[in-house]
Amino acid sequence: LGATGEGVTVAVIDSGIDTRPLDLADDLVAEACFCHTNGACCPDGTALQMGPGSALDDNGHGSHVAGIVTSAGRVAPRGVAPDAGIVAVKVIAADNSFCCASDVVSALDWVLSKRPDVRVINMSLGTTALYSGECDAADAVTRAFAAVINALRDRGVLSFVASGNEAVGGAMSAPACVGSSMSVGAVWDGAYGPYNFGRCVETGTAIDQVACFSNSNHTTDLFAPGALITSSVPGNRAATFIGTSMASPHAAGCAADLLQAFPALTPGMIEASLEATGRPVIDPKNGLTFPRIDCLAAHDVRFCPDADGDGYWAPGGGSCPAGRWADCDDADPARFPGNREICDGVDNNCNLAVDEGFDPDDDQVATCRDNCPADHNPAQSDRDADGTGDACDLDDGVIEVMPATDGTVVWQAEAGFDLFNLYRGQLDRLVDADGDGAAEEYGACFAENLATTTFVDREIPPTGHGVFYLVTGMTAAGEGSLGTASSGAPRPNVRDCRAVFGSPPVIHEAVVDTAPAIATCDFTRIAETRVCALGVPGAQAIAPIVISGRYVEARIAARITDPDTTPDRNDLRDARATLSRPDGGTIDFAI
């Protein structure tokens, strides 16, 4: 059809290119080198070189890859896009390795900032580390790859990357694992008999058989011919190589052909065309089906109806396939496959999901419709009708309580309260005899005067005897109510904390005697008037008496009255104290 990649520039980031072979002599547009392997591996002996000669290939891999894209066909077979131009960037040394991901990232950055003519990138390389899914945020290396590959794609540049040759059916190397790259695995291009690759053995081969050495997983995009591929190498020769390194430039060359035929294609449109029309092949390592590129079909699908002009076709007939890459609404140019999803209640990217990625609190309500987007509140309750859900509203007078884990209760630090009382009730004892929507009682106060908003309940009930929790706040005026039931009826607080714990004892006076020869008495808080009510889980002292100093002997006597006892028991002179030792231990003694 006359599409040969003419006018399209492909960046080949590899071991460089040798333009002396007749097949590659007229293809080089520009070159650069970022190569720190063994200290420095650019042709001039440095680690950074620009201009003519900077990407001279001393390995052969880069020339072979470039030939698959653009060979003129004089010595080696004709390339997929024989008239495409090549920007060669050397990052691989003579020993066929690159020292560090930073060289590859630098090469991509250079293309992004200095080569606006590049529309396609090929990287037949990868890290030794493998990733089981999209790896954009997996570690510092993949984050760096993802940032620049995403930026290139946003500028209209599509990156094709070899999936790797480790014979793994559940992972790929980086940067093939980056979500916005086009990862390419390898199929056989003919029936060549058995092959032993060390990592795997082929007992026989056939056209479109997935090569056993090819990595793939559920995020792999494409497959292309990669086994027994003959292309150009230095010395004006042809050589036959095997690997996903050979598959990726087949796809990159096809993209160059499509861009010559349809210059307005975006990376998303190219991806859709290739993936929707490829011939299905199955990788036996994982049972997954992938599209093997069909460049003619990818070309022809661009003539399918596109009423809304968004670059994606309306399905219909064999040549206009349905599926995830077809336009779900050919009357709306704001809806098409791969589009950026926004929070608007519409399936913008045609993936049969609405507002996905906009539910950080996982309550099945998207941010744009969630009155409390950072807190799980599927009911969207808003008692004070201020537009902020109760689960995150800290000034509506309602304290939201929830179980964090088994035995751990958490609640909000509602504004206006410094201390909290925790109620625990038995679910099977909730009774609403008068039918007003509120039970007759909601359990007893379980812990009082809690200064934190977390409580560990160590008395987990047996199966079938579930409990519920309610929290009230404490102010100078006393304890707040338990609020209202869903019907609006008040929740009775019949056994409040004061009834359960009683009033705290009052210390009227205290006397401390110590051995005067060595004691340095520092009885710092004699004015404190409240102590802890013991014996109930979670009870805490409001303001304990603190005695500090160094003593060999100490005697403490106090007059304490307790409002909850009979008058004849109010003059108590028997208490219990704990002294802390400098080494962190304690000494208990009676007074």
Side-chain angles (χ1 to χ4, degrees):
L1 298 177
T4 60
E6 185 174 1
V8 180
T9 302
V10 179
V12 176
I13 299 176
D14 210 291
S15 66
I17 186 172
D18 187 343
T19 57
R20 290 172 295 181
L22 296 176
D23 286 333
L24 304 177
D26 58 352
D27 296 318
L28 187 62
V29 174
E31 51 189 316
C33 176
F34 303 86
C35 199
H36 286 81
T37 303
N38 301 319
C41 45
C42 292
D44 65 356
T46 68
L48 174 63
Q49 185 180 349
M50 300 288 165
S54 60
L56 183 62
D57 187 6
D58 54 4
N59 173 271
H61 188 273
S63 298
H64 195 276
V65 167
I68 294 172
V69 175
T70 191
S71 169
R74 298 183 181 94
V75 178
R78 197 165 183 241
V80 180
D83 292 325
I86 296 295
V87 169
V89 188
K90 180 177 176 63
V91 297
I92 295 176
D95 63 0
N96 202 37
S97 69
F98 61 92
C99 80
C100 33
S102 60
D103 279 350
V104 183
V105 172
S106 296
L108 292 166
D109 276 329
W110 179 78
V111 173
L112 177 64
S113 61
K114 302 296 184 182
R115 302 304 312 185
D117 54 327
V118 169
R119 298 289 304 276
V120 180
I121 293 175
N122 185 83
M123 288 179 281
S124 291
L125 49 77
T127 60
T128 55
L130 301 181
Y131 300 84
S132 60
E134 287 191 3
C135 63
D136 296 41
D139 52 46
V141 169
T142 59
R143 284 194 294 270
F145 275 133
V148 66
I149 290 173
N150 291 340
L152 283 160
R153 183 161 175 145
D154 289 343
R155 202 193 73 184
V157 183
L158 192 55
S159 301
F160 292 84
V161 191
S163 67
N165 303 322
E166 286 78 18
V168 175
M172 293 188 295
S173 59
C177 56
V178 171
S180 61
S181 72
M182 294 293 291
S183 50
V184 188
V187 297
W188 286 89
D189 200 36
Y192 300 111
Y195 264 84
N196 187 340
F197 294 97
R199 289 188 176 93
C200 64
V201 176
E202 301 277 28
T203 57
T205 61
I207 291 176
D208 281 342
Q209 175 182 321
V210 171
C212 70
F213 58 77
S214 179
N215 296 343
S216 74
N217 64 11
H218 64 284
T219 66
T220 305
D221 294 297
L222 297 169
F223 273 70
L228 293 193
I229 304 301
T230 302
S231 183
S232 304
V233 293
N236 202 30
R237 297 180 301 109
T240 301
F241 291 173
I242 293 176
T244 57
S245 285
M246 286 62 255
S248 183
H250 274 89
C254 178
D257 289 341
L258 294 175
L259 282 166
Q260 180 193 347
F262 308 99
L265 289 181
T266 66
M269 296 174 192
I270 298 172
E271 180 177 6
S273 301
L274 292 172
E275 293 192 23
T277 60
R279 176 176 176 175
V281 297
I282 299 174
D283 188 342
K285 294 189 294 297
N286 50 34
L288 298 175
T289 300
F290 302 94
R292 186 268 287 152
I293 62 167
D294 184 333
C295 208
L296 176 60
H299 174 279
D300 291 347
V301 79
R302 303 313 313 172
F303 294 104
C304 288
D306 177 17
D308 58 9
D310 58 10
Y312 294 83
W313 61 89
S319 60
C320 301
R324 72 186 185 96
W325 287 116
D327 198 342
C328 58
D329 186 348
D330 204 32
D332 185 352
R335 300 182 65 199
F336 55 84
N339 188 23
R340 191 181 302 276
E341 186 67 39
I342 60 176
C343 196
D344 60 355
V346 176
D347 177 14
N348 304 101
N349 56 8
C350 291
N351 66 346
L352 304 180
V354 176
D355 295 336
E356 68 273 18
F358 293 93
D359 184 19
D361 55 0
D362 195 30
D363 59 4
Q364 307 307 308
V365 181
T367 300
C368 46
R369 301 187 304 277
D370 197 335
N371 64 17
C372 192
D375 293 274
H376 188 86
N377 63 326
Q380 300 293 294
S381 58
D382 179 14
R383 291 177 178 87
D384 60 355
D386 64 351
T388 301
D390 296 329
C392 60
D393 195 341
L394 296 180
D395 62 0
D396 60 358
V398 178
I399 301 173
E400 291 290 316
V401 188
M402 62 215 75
T405 60
D406 288 346
T408 302
V409 188
V410 297
W411 57 91
Q412 291 173 306
E414 185 73 16
F417 302 121
D418 297 321
L419 302 172
F420 301 91
N421 295 334
L422 177 65
Y423 286 75
R424 187 176 81 167
Q426 297 293 133
L427 287 171
D428 56 2
R429 295 180 185 175
L430 283 175
V431 177
D432 180 17
D434 58 6
D436 67 349
E440 270 58 61
E441 65 175 87
Y442 284 85
C445 186
F446 189 60
E448 70 165 349
N449 299 327
L450 301 171
T452 64
T453 56
T454 301
F455 183 83
V456 177
D457 183 359
R458 304 192 184 282
E459 300 180 16
I460 300 176
T463 303
H465 296 271
V467 298
F468 63 94
Y469 299 93
L470 294 168
V471 171
T472 63
M474 291 290 291
T475 67
E479 181 179 9
S481 73
L482 293 179
T484 58
S486 57
S487 67
R491 291 191 177 110
N493 192 357
V494 296
R495 288 192 284 169
D496 63 9
C497 286
R498 192 176 191 87
V500 174
F501 288 97
S503 299
V506 178
I507 303 174
H508 296 277
E509 61 187 35
V511 178
V512 180
D513 294 328
T514 61
I518 63 169
T520 55
C521 183
D522 182 16
F523 189 38
T524 58
R525 300 174 72 179
I526 189 63
E528 301 292 358
T529 59
R530 303 187 69 183
V531 296
C532 179
L534 301 177
V536 180
Q540 297 182 13
I542 297 300
I545 293 175
V546 177
I547 304 173
S548 63
R550 300 182 61 191
Y551 315 101
V552 169
E553 179 181 346
R555 181 180 67 84
I556 302 175
R559 187 172 70 84
I560 303 171
T561 58
D562 186 352
D564 301 312
T565 65
T566 58
D568 62 334
R569 293 284 298 164
N570 259 338
D571 190 13
L572 303 179
R573 290 187 178 272
D574 187 12
R576 191 80 178 170
T578 300
L579 296 183
S580 298
R581 297 204 309 261
D583 61 5
T586 60
I587 305 171
D588 287 345
F589 62 96
I591 59 173

